[in-house]
Amino acid sequence: MPKGYVAINVERCKGCGFCVEFCPTHVLAMSSAFNSRGYHPPHVVNPEKCSGCDLCGMFCPDFAIYGWKVSQPSNGAKKDAAR
Amino acid sequence: MLHADPKGVLTGVHFLDGDHAACEGALAAGARFAAGYPITPSTEVVERFAARIPMVGGIFIQMEDELAASIAIAGAVWAGAKAFTVTSGPGFSLMMEHIGFAAMTETPCVFINVQRGGPSTGLPTLPAQADMMQARWGSHGDYEIIALCPNSPQECFDLTIRAFNLAEEFRVPVMLMMDECVGHMTEKVVIPPAEQIEIYPRRHTRRPPGDYQPFAAGPDLVPEMAHAGEGYRFHITGLTHDERGYPSMTVAAQDRLVKRLKAKITRAAERLACYEQQGVEDADVVVLSYGITSRVAQRAVELARARGAKVGRLRLITVWPFPTAQVRALARHVKAFVVPELNLGQIALEVERAAAGQAAVVQVPHAGGGVHDPEQILDAIMEVLK
Amino acid sequence: MSAQAPEAAGKIAGGQVEDAPESCAPENPVEQFLRMDRMPHIWCPGCGIGTTVNSFARALLEAGLDLDRVAVVSGIGCSGRVAGYLRLDSFHTTHGRAIPFATGLKLANPGLTVVVYSGDGDLFAIGGNHIIHAARRNVDLKVICINNLVYGMTGGQVAPTTPGGAVTTTTPYGCYEPAFNLPALMDAAGAVYVARWTTYHVRQLTRSMIDVFKKKGFCFIEILSPCPTLYQRKNRMGDGLDAMKYYKEKSKIRHGAPTAEVALSKEGEIIVGKFVDRERPEYLELMRAQLSAQLGERYVETEHLVCS
């Protein structure tokens, strides 16, 4: 069981490669697929290595990826119910 | 309408110069934040404010330049305060970008310009009225402002209050166009009790967060205000924007926004028109003037009447928006307007425009540095009547 | 991929797709701070500005600030666009003048946490006069300066931070102007907190931002960020990722380093860290102390200057 998961918003990605490069456990790689804008988004290649550290999310300039730990599904995000 | 907060009202009969009276007007109007930069002949306004405000409750900050002063007041307004700045010609030029920013973001605030001789450094200690067109057109782009012109220290007090009230009513920057003469002339100024001073309150929205749009306007074309820190989480930008305040850089959004900014004021032009007229009904000539020149003009008109001339006088108190309708109506039955100004012809151009050829417009220019001799204006009147 | 609204389009969760716990996937923690109705943003692929926004969002979360009382003020430029994307009271003001606007905002409502988020050209060229005075006065502002060494929005012109030799559109043969050392300038002007990070240092940046939220006085954080489309490209320095790798390789963390020693160069070492963290009375404290000492009971102290 991986300790964490990653969610990728394929359409938002601009293929900068930060997440792939700086994932400490090399969970990600650039895919050969294209999104509708012609960028290659990342995809998960080593899911079992994901710790949910969310470094990918912290690096992503396009808010297109984030990670979360299995043990802490909320990952600190507070949903703003009223908005 | 509300009444003035007594903490800021120095009720009584005073002997003040225009600069000092303007400061008292601001305090009476509820201004509790001012940012300024020293520039002759306006500095006394903020010097007095700096001395008074700690005992009324508020802040004065002397900023590092007029660019800073003119936008610090916008910040204070969006935090909740009524705010103003004060300057003269060279500083007014520096403030132009932020007058435009205030117009574009519909930030209610007051800019006081105690005009002096120009251009450039000009005549720092001497009067002129040569920033009048600049007050209207000085910033880039299409926008409208309101400009008031006092001709006495008493009016410096009264019209400063009116300037704040109009700023709130129309969510627009308002210019108080004084001149060095009115600013440095000392006269009786009566400050009434606070309960006799009407204050237009900030048009703060009553809508809850989530339901408020900072640029959504009703039938009077003026949107409601909100302040930072109240949970509205709004966005304000100088970019062309939509009702939400979000940048929207399209032809359609530009058309919508800029036309509303203009119509907001022009539609109210007749209501905003404020002038004093005397003897115009059967006049052959009307002397149209404003500010300090109106006091000289009054003498000239008396002299002309003493010679049997049918001369009326029209003193503009609101100079922008220009009272086109009134002048146009007069133009139909007068032979000529005589327009003395402490400049080489600025408001005279507006008179020409409004008169639309139906009456002659005779300028009585003065390059600035002093006031006209009544004889100069009298000569112009008599010349027209020949 | 067909034309779908970007936010609704394909999400791939980690793990085997069938096992992916999508149903318990939390929201991206940054989204609650963003005006999602304005996404996607305008920044280029590999631009670091968005990365700094992640750090900022996480700092806001961790610091536990009342978000209704956080206001962001920006100037003009790519970095200045941050204000428009944040779901906070935000003000996109004029070029160079975010700081005086923020000064007015803060002084009239000291209860606000006022963040100035802008770029190197906006804050230090046209805005130079204002930033040094705000630092001198120690106005309680949190200034986040994204330094991409160039004027990005207008197409890549030289900035007061452009390193010697760098090519920009207005220095087509290489920049020959000496650049500002921003931490040294802010230190000399009186800032009580001066730090520099790069967009690679995402965690440290969040920590610094939390530090400044908790600190009273004029705080300054410089964030070195790639401008791939203009600075990197014109100087044949690759793309955003290449810049990030350079930051990783050449950055040295030296907390407390003398700010005079942390100047940047085109391809040299990047000293990062928290350089200055000191105490000085903040502007309003100074004002109140002086006025109450002089005026005694006649002094009317105020907090929020709000008109009726």
Side-chain angles (χ1 to χ4, degrees):
Chain A
M1 267 294 276
K3 290 196 272 182
Y5 290 94
V6 150
I8 300 167
N9 187 313
V10 163
E11 275 305 302
R12 232 183 256 168
C13 174
K14 299 224 270 289
C16 70
F18 292 2
C19 57
V20 169
E21 177 72 23
F22 297 119
C23 172
T25 49
H26 309 291
V27 169
L28 304 163
M30 298 307 272
S31 71
S32 54
F34 290 101
N35 65 14
S36 69
R37 300 222 199 101
Y39 295 112
H40 294 293
H43 64 162
V44 172
V45 295
N46 290 316
E48 70 289 351
K49 298 226 179 113
C50 179
S51 70
C53 70
D54 191 33
L55 263 179
C56 53
M58 291 175 71
F59 276 107
C60 180
D62 294 286
F63 320 124
I65 187 171
Y66 61 101
W68 72 95
K69 293 193 202 312
V70 168
S71 56
Q72 287 177 287
S74 72
N75 199 28
K78 292 172 217 154
K79 283 200 197 242
D80 236 8
R83 320 270 185 205
Chain B
M1 295 291 264
L2 298 179
H3 296 304
D5 170 8
K7 278 210 291 301
V9 183
L10 202 64
T11 303
V13 178
H14 307 276
F15 195 50
L16 296 173
D17 74 19
D19 279 3
H20 286 254
C23 171
E24 291 304 327
L27 287 165
R32 298 292 179 261
F33 184 94
Y37 189 81
I39 182 166
T40 309
S42 73
T43 318
E44 293 90 322
V45 184
V46 292
E47 286 174 339
R48 187 179 179 104
F49 194 88
R52 291 264 286 129
I53 197 65
M55 292 175 287
V56 171
I59 292 183
F60 168 70
I61 178 168
Q62 181 179 307
M63 297 298 280
E64 55 274 14
D65 57 36
E66 287 91 341
L67 298 131
S70 54
I71 203 173
I73 62 171
V77 167
W78 285 100
K82 285 193 180 174
F84 72 107
T85 187
V86 183
T87 191
S88 189
F92 200 48
S93 293
L94 290 174
M95 292 185 178
M96 280 301 145
E97 187 182 6
H98 296 145
I99 289 171
F101 177 75
M104 183 60 144
T105 56
E106 302 182 78
T107 302
C109 52
V110 172
F111 290 78
I112 300 179
N113 178 357
V114 187
Q115 297 171 87
R116 71 195 218 179
S120 190
T121 315
L123 300 168
T125 59
L126 299 171
Q129 292 176 310
D131 307 346
M132 298 306 297
M133 277 294 184
Q134 185 188 22
R136 169 69 186 84
W137 301 106
S139 195
H140 54 281
D142 281 316
Y143 65 99
E144 291 272 341
I145 48 86
I146 297 170
L148 310 178
C149 226
N151 79 342
S152 65
Q154 179 69 56
E155 280 203 344
C156 289
F157 175 81
D158 296 330
L159 294 183
T160 300
I161 297 176
R162 185 181 307 178
F164 277 96
N165 287 344
L166 289 172
E168 296 298 333
E169 186 181 348
F170 289 93
R171 241 186 91 171
V172 76
V174 177
M175 314 291 122
L176 187 81
M177 301 299 286
M178 292 169 55
D179 58 75
E180 183 278 333
C181 206
V182 158
H184 281 170
M185 131 202 301
T186 310
E187 286 187 336
K188 177 169 150 182
V189 175
V190 177
I191 298 183
E195 59 272 14
Q196 289 177 22
I197 300 175
E198 283 197 324
I199 299 299
Y200 200 103
R202 180 145 299 165
R203 296 174 68 162
H204 197 294
T205 187
R206 294 223 165 88
R207 294 170 180 271
D211 195 28
Y212 165 70
Q213 294 187 320
F215 298 98
D220 69 350
L221 306 183
V222 182
E224 297 183 308
M225 275 291 278
H227 299 135
E230 295 171 341
Y232 286 100
R233 311 252 196 127
F234 54 77
H235 182 60
I236 302 297
T237 177
L239 286 169
T240 298
H241 47 267
D242 60 26
E243 280 79 1
R244 296 169 300 178
Y246 290 4
S248 178
M249 288 167 285
T250 63
V251 171
Q254 174 75 359
D255 189 80
R256 230 174 121 69
L257 173 62
V258 173
K259 284 185 178 169
R260 179 177 66 74
L261 293 181
K262 190 174 168 70
K264 176 171 80 162
I265 302 299
T266 55
R267 271 214 224 154
E270 300 233 10
R271 188 156 62 79
L272 285 167
C274 181
Y275 45 82
E276 206 177 65
Q277 58 185 11
Q278 207 225 355
V280 301
E281 306 72 25
D282 62 343
D284 290 328
V285 170
V286 168
V287 178
L288 187 151
S289 62
Y290 54 90
I292 191 61
T293 308
S294 66
R295 295 174 72 148
V296 182
Q298 185 167 342
R299 179 80 185 121
V301 167
E302 284 165 13
L303 290 170
R305 286 202 187 128
R307 295 188 192 182
K310 287 213 264 177
V311 185
R313 58 184 182 84
L314 175 58
R315 175 171 80 92
L316 301 185
I317 297 170
T318 301
V319 177
W320 299 111
F322 185 78
T324 307
Q326 176 62 10
V327 172
R328 189 156 287 170
L330 277 179
R332 282 186 209 111
H333 69 83
V334 307
K335 197 172 160 213
F337 290 95
V338 167
V339 186
E341 307 180 75
L342 291 186
N343 59 52
L344 299 183
Q346 293 195 11
I347 297 303
L349 301 177
E350 282 294 293
V351 181
E352 274 179 40
R353 182 186 62 78
Q358 294 184 90
V361 177
V362 176
Q363 297 184 10
V364 189
H366 186 307
V371 296
H372 293 81
D373 266 332
E375 277 69 34
Q376 289 171 273
I377 304 175
L378 175 64
D379 288 346
I381 297 170
M382 302 318 292
E383 186 63 34
V384 165
L385 289 171
K386 276 202 198 126
Chain C
M1 301 267 174
S2 57
Q4 292 172 0
E7 283 71 51
K11 281 190 168 198
I12 308 168
Q16 290 80 29
V17 175
E18 311 81 60
D19 293 353
E22 278 250 35
S23 55
C24 68
E27 217 179 58
N28 184 337
V30 77
E31 284 189 11
Q32 65 186 287
F33 299 102
L34 299 176
R35 293 189 194 273
M36 294 310 297
D37 49 352
R38 288 201 65 212
M39 290 296 125
H41 57 58
I42 56 145
W43 300 313
C44 298
C47 166
I49 298 176
T51 305
T52 70
V53 174
N54 286 317
S55 295
F56 185 67
R58 283 162 180 76
L60 285 175
L61 268 176
E62 274 192 57
L65 294 176
D66 177 359
L67 299 178
D68 285 345
R69 314 212 12 104
V70 177
V72 177
V73 184
S74 71
I76 302 297
C78 289
S79 306
R81 293 301 191 103
V82 170
Y85 294 123
L86 291 173
R87 201 166 59 79
L88 300 168
D89 287 324
S90 55
F91 301 92
H92 186 219
T93 63
T94 51
H95 195 27
R97 323 293 174 191
I99 291 216
F101 181 97
T103 299
L105 189 70
K106 177 71 185 185
L107 295 186
N109 189 353
L112 296 172
T113 298
V114 179
V115 177
V116 173
Y117 214 118
S118 214
D120 55 296
D122 186 87
L123 289 170
F124 287 95
I126 185 169
N129 195 26
H130 306 307
I131 198 166
I132 62 177
H133 285 275
R136 169 182 66 83
R137 292 185 179 115
N138 202 21
V139 185
D140 184 15
L141 300 175
K142 288 82 183 67
V143 179
I144 296 171
C145 171
I146 302 184
N147 185 3
N148 61 5
L149 310 174
V150 81
Y151 277 79
M153 180 68 80
T154 41
Q157 294 78 30
V158 72
T161 49
T162 305
V167 170
T168 70
T169 62
T170 44
T171 56
Y173 312 112
C175 174
Y176 45 81
E177 284 187 18
F180 269 144
N181 170 344
L182 301 185
L185 182 52
M186 290 287 89
D187 181 6
V192 292
Y193 184 103
V194 179
R196 173 199 281 144
W197 297 108
T198 73
T199 48
Y200 168 71
H201 298 92
V202 287
R203 285 210 213 279
Q204 295 92 329
L205 185 50
T206 298
R207 287 252 62 80
S208 270
M209 289 175 173
I210 294 169
D211 281 350
V212 305
F213 291 150
K214 296 188 169 144
K215 191 172 176 76
K216 273 225 163 300
F218 187 90
C219 302
F220 177 76
I221 302 174
E222 174 189 357
I223 312 171
L224 214 50
S225 168
C227 172
T229 307
L230 299 160
Y231 185 79
Q232 303 292 117
R233 185 170 56 90
K234 290 234 168 249
N235 287 287
R236 300 180 202 284
M237 290 168 95
D239 62 9
L241 185 59
D242 292 312
M244 292 287 270
K245 288 179 184 170
Y246 160 55
Y247 298 159
K248 178 179 176 182
E249 194 197 314
K250 296 277 193 143
S251 294
K252 288 221 161 28
I253 300 180
R254 283 180 54 197
H255 291 303
T259 53
E261 295 174 13
V262 305
L264 298 170
S265 60
K266 189 152 162 272
E267 270 151 340
E269 202 174 57
I270 302 169
I271 311 289
V272 296
K274 178 170 74 169
F275 305 131
V276 174
D277 188 355
R278 60 192 165 199
E279 304 299 320
R280 276 174 70 212
E282 172 265 332
Y283 182 82
L284 285 170
E285 276 179 63
L286 289 166
M287 181 188 85
R288 288 177 182 141
Q290 182 77 19
L291 293 174
S292 56
Q294 291 299 308
L295 298 172
E297 276 169 22
R298 291 181 298 154
Y299 175 48
V300 177
E301 202 173 291
T302 50
E303 270 292 317
H304 185 188
L305 301 177
V306 59
C307 67
S308 39

Short mmCIF file of all heavy atoms in Angstrom, two decimals, chain C residues 11 21 36 38 48 61 66 84 106-107 133 142 153-154 172 181 194 213 229 237 249 254 256 268 270 291 300 302:
data_model
loop_
_atom_site.label_atom_id
_atom_site.label_comp_id
_atom_site.label_asym_id
_atom_site.label_seq_id
_atom_site.Cartn_x
_atom_site.Cartn_y
_atom_site.Cartn_z
N LYS C 11 -8.68 13.84 -14.14
CA LYS C 11 -7.83 13.71 -12.94
C LYS C 11 -7.32 12.28 -12.93
O LYS C 11 -8.10 11.35 -13.08
CB LYS C 11 -8.66 13.94 -11.69
CG LYS C 11 -8.91 15.40 -11.38
CD LYS C 11 -9.52 15.53 -10.00
CE LYS C 11 -9.51 16.99 -9.57
NZ LYS C 11 -9.68 17.16 -8.15
N PRO C 21 -8.17 6.07 -4.51
CA PRO C 21 -9.20 6.53 -3.57
C PRO C 21 -9.68 7.94 -3.92
O PRO C 21 -9.56 8.84 -3.13
CB PRO C 21 -8.51 6.48 -2.22
CG PRO C 21 -7.07 6.75 -2.54
CD PRO C 21 -6.82 6.20 -3.92
N MET C 36 -10.89 30.50 -8.43
CA MET C 36 -10.86 29.43 -9.43
C MET C 36 -11.59 29.85 -10.69
O MET C 36 -11.31 29.33 -11.76
CB MET C 36 -11.47 28.14 -8.84
CG MET C 36 -10.66 27.54 -7.71
SD MET C 36 -8.91 27.32 -8.09
CE MET C 36 -9.00 26.16 -9.44
N ARG C 38 -11.03 32.33 -12.24
CA ARG C 38 -10.09 33.05 -13.11
C ARG C 38 -8.95 32.16 -13.60
O ARG C 38 -8.00 32.65 -14.21
CB ARG C 38 -9.50 34.24 -12.36
CG ARG C 38 -10.48 35.36 -12.15
CD ARG C 38 -9.77 36.66 -11.89
NE ARG C 38 -9.02 37.07 -13.05
CZ ARG C 38 -7.88 37.77 -12.99
NH1 ARG C 38 -7.36 38.10 -11.83
NH2 ARG C 38 -7.26 38.11 -14.10
N GLY C 48 8.12 30.71 -12.16
CA GLY C 48 8.08 30.33 -10.76
C GLY C 48 7.04 31.05 -9.92
O GLY C 48 6.89 30.76 -8.73
N LEU C 61 -2.31 28.89 5.60
CA LEU C 61 -2.96 27.79 6.31
C LEU C 61 -2.30 27.53 7.64
O LEU C 61 -2.95 27.47 8.68
CB LEU C 61 -2.85 26.52 5.47
CG LEU C 61 -3.96 26.18 4.51
CD1 LEU C 61 -3.60 24.93 3.72
CD2 LEU C 61 -5.28 25.97 5.25
N ASP C 66 -6.73 34.85 10.15
CA ASP C 66 -8.10 35.07 9.73
C ASP C 66 -8.03 35.63 8.31
O ASP C 66 -7.62 36.77 8.11
CB ASP C 66 -8.76 36.08 10.68
CG ASP C 66 -10.19 36.43 10.28
OD1 ASP C 66 -10.68 35.92 9.25
OD2 ASP C 66 -10.82 37.24 10.99
N GLY C 84 -4.64 39.36 -8.22
CA GLY C 84 -5.90 39.09 -8.89
C GLY C 84 -6.33 37.65 -8.80
O GLY C 84 -7.51 37.34 -9.01
N LYS C 106 -2.81 49.90 5.66
CA LYS C 106 -2.41 49.38 6.98
C LYS C 106 -2.60 50.42 8.07
O LYS C 106 -3.08 50.11 9.16
CB LYS C 106 -0.93 48.95 6.93
CG LYS C 106 -0.38 48.46 8.26
CD LYS C 106 -0.94 47.12 8.67
CE LYS C 106 -0.45 46.71 10.05
NZ LYS C 106 -0.88 45.37 10.44
N LEU C 107 -2.21 51.66 7.79
CA LEU C 107 -2.32 52.68 8.84
C LEU C 107 -3.78 52.96 9.16
O LEU C 107 -4.12 53.23 10.31
CB LEU C 107 -1.61 53.96 8.44
CG LEU C 107 -0.09 53.86 8.27
CD1 LEU C 107 0.50 55.25 8.02
CD2 LEU C 107 0.58 53.23 9.47
N HIS C 133 11.57 53.99 1.91
CA HIS C 133 10.93 54.78 2.98
C HIS C 133 10.04 53.93 3.88
O HIS C 133 10.00 54.14 5.09
CB HIS C 133 10.15 55.95 2.38
CG HIS C 133 11.04 57.05 1.91
ND1 HIS C 133 11.50 58.04 2.77
CD2 HIS C 133 11.58 57.29 0.71
CE1 HIS C 133 12.29 58.86 2.08
NE2 HIS C 133 12.36 58.43 0.83
N LYS C 142 4.29 43.08 4.90
CA LYS C 142 5.02 41.85 4.55
C LYS C 142 5.24 41.90 3.04
O LYS C 142 4.30 41.73 2.27
CB LYS C 142 4.19 40.62 4.91
CG LYS C 142 4.11 40.36 6.42
CD LYS C 142 3.06 41.21 7.10
CE LYS C 142 2.92 41.09 8.59
NZ LYS C 142 4.01 41.58 9.42
N MET C 153 6.53 41.13 -17.86
CA MET C 153 5.24 41.44 -18.52
C MET C 153 5.43 42.22 -19.80
O MET C 153 4.72 42.02 -20.78
CB MET C 153 4.37 42.21 -17.54
CG MET C 153 3.03 42.62 -18.05
SD MET C 153 1.93 41.24 -18.35
CE MET C 153 1.35 40.89 -16.70
N THR C 154 6.38 43.15 -19.82
CA THR C 154 6.56 44.02 -20.96
C THR C 154 7.50 43.43 -22.01
O THR C 154 7.84 44.10 -22.96
CB THR C 154 7.10 45.38 -20.51
OG1 THR C 154 8.10 45.17 -19.51
CG2 THR C 154 5.99 46.22 -19.92
N PRO C 172 20.68 44.69 -25.41
CA PRO C 172 20.84 43.59 -26.35
C PRO C 172 22.27 43.06 -26.45
O PRO C 172 22.48 41.96 -26.95
CB PRO C 172 20.37 44.17 -27.68
CG PRO C 172 20.40 45.64 -27.51
CD PRO C 172 20.22 45.93 -26.06
N ASN C 181 21.82 44.71 -4.81
CA ASN C 181 21.80 43.55 -3.92
C ASN C 181 20.60 43.82 -3.02
O ASN C 181 20.65 44.64 -2.11
CB ASN C 181 23.13 43.55 -3.14
CG ASN C 181 23.16 42.55 -2.01
OD1 ASN C 181 22.13 42.02 -1.57
ND2 ASN C 181 24.35 42.28 -1.51
N VAL C 194 14.78 40.15 6.72
CA VAL C 194 15.23 40.08 5.33
C VAL C 194 15.63 38.65 5.04
O VAL C 194 16.50 38.09 5.74
CB VAL C 194 16.42 41.02 5.07
CG1 VAL C 194 16.88 40.91 3.61
CG2 VAL C 194 16.08 42.47 5.39
N PHE C 213 4.44 36.63 8.84
CA PHE C 213 3.07 36.86 9.30
C PHE C 213 3.04 37.12 10.80
O PHE C 213 2.20 37.84 11.32
CB PHE C 213 2.16 35.66 9.00
CG PHE C 213 1.89 35.45 7.54
CD1 PHE C 213 1.66 34.17 7.05
CD2 PHE C 213 1.86 36.50 6.65
CE1 PHE C 213 1.40 33.95 5.70
CE2 PHE C 213 1.61 36.30 5.29
CZ PHE C 213 1.38 35.02 4.82
N THR C 229 10.57 32.34 -20.49
CA THR C 229 10.27 32.86 -21.82
C THR C 229 11.21 33.99 -22.22
O THR C 229 11.51 34.17 -23.39
CB THR C 229 8.82 33.36 -21.86
OG1 THR C 229 7.97 32.32 -21.37
CG2 THR C 229 8.39 33.76 -23.25
N MET C 237 19.81 30.04 -21.28
CA MET C 237 19.96 29.33 -20.01
C MET C 237 18.88 28.27 -19.86
O MET C 237 18.52 27.91 -18.75
CB MET C 237 19.91 30.34 -18.85
CG MET C 237 21.14 31.23 -18.80
SD MET C 237 20.93 32.62 -17.67
CE MET C 237 21.69 31.97 -16.21
N GLU C 249 21.42 23.50 -7.41
CA GLU C 249 22.85 23.19 -7.39
C GLU C 249 23.68 24.30 -6.77
O GLU C 249 24.63 24.04 -6.04
CB GLU C 249 23.29 22.97 -8.83
CG GLU C 249 24.64 22.33 -9.00
CD GLU C 249 25.15 22.54 -10.42
OE1 GLU C 249 24.33 22.32 -11.36
OE2 GLU C 249 26.31 22.95 -10.57
N ARG C 254 22.86 30.23 4.02
CA ARG C 254 23.72 30.85 5.03
C ARG C 254 22.86 31.81 5.84
O ARG C 254 22.81 33.01 5.58
CB ARG C 254 24.87 31.59 4.37
CG ARG C 254 26.00 30.69 3.87
CD ARG C 254 27.13 31.48 3.22
NE ARG C 254 27.63 32.52 4.10
CZ ARG C 254 28.39 33.55 3.68
NH1 ARG C 254 28.71 33.66 2.40
NH2 ARG C 254 28.81 34.46 4.53
N GLY C 256 21.83 34.34 8.49
CA GLY C 256 22.62 35.36 9.19
C GLY C 256 23.79 35.89 8.40
O GLY C 256 24.58 36.66 8.94
N GLY C 268 26.64 32.53 -10.89
CA GLY C 268 27.41 32.19 -9.70
C GLY C 268 26.56 31.62 -8.59
O GLY C 268 25.39 31.25 -8.77
N ILE C 270 24.33 31.27 -5.25
CA ILE C 270 23.17 32.02 -4.76
C ILE C 270 23.11 31.82 -3.26
O ILE C 270 22.85 30.70 -2.80
CB ILE C 270 21.87 31.48 -5.39
CG1 ILE C 270 21.93 31.55 -6.92
CG2 ILE C 270 20.66 32.25 -4.87
CD1 ILE C 270 20.81 30.79 -7.61
N LEU C 291 3.34 60.83 20.19
CA LEU C 291 2.18 61.70 20.37
C LEU C 291 1.63 61.63 21.78
O LEU C 291 1.24 62.66 22.36
CB LEU C 291 1.11 61.36 19.32
CG LEU C 291 1.53 61.67 17.87
CD1 LEU C 291 0.48 61.17 16.89
CD2 LEU C 291 1.74 63.16 17.66
N VAL C 300 -5.74 61.43 21.13
CA VAL C 300 -6.83 60.49 20.88
C VAL C 300 -6.25 59.35 20.05
O VAL C 300 -6.00 59.50 18.85
CB VAL C 300 -7.99 61.18 20.13
CG1 VAL C 300 -9.09 60.17 19.81
CG2 VAL C 300 -8.53 62.34 20.95
N THR C 302 -6.20 55.97 18.03
CA THR C 302 -7.21 55.30 17.20
C THR C 302 -6.68 53.96 16.72
O THR C 302 -5.48 53.74 16.67
CB THR C 302 -7.55 56.13 15.96
OG1 THR C 302 -6.34 56.52 15.32
CG2 THR C 302 -8.36 57.36 16.31
#
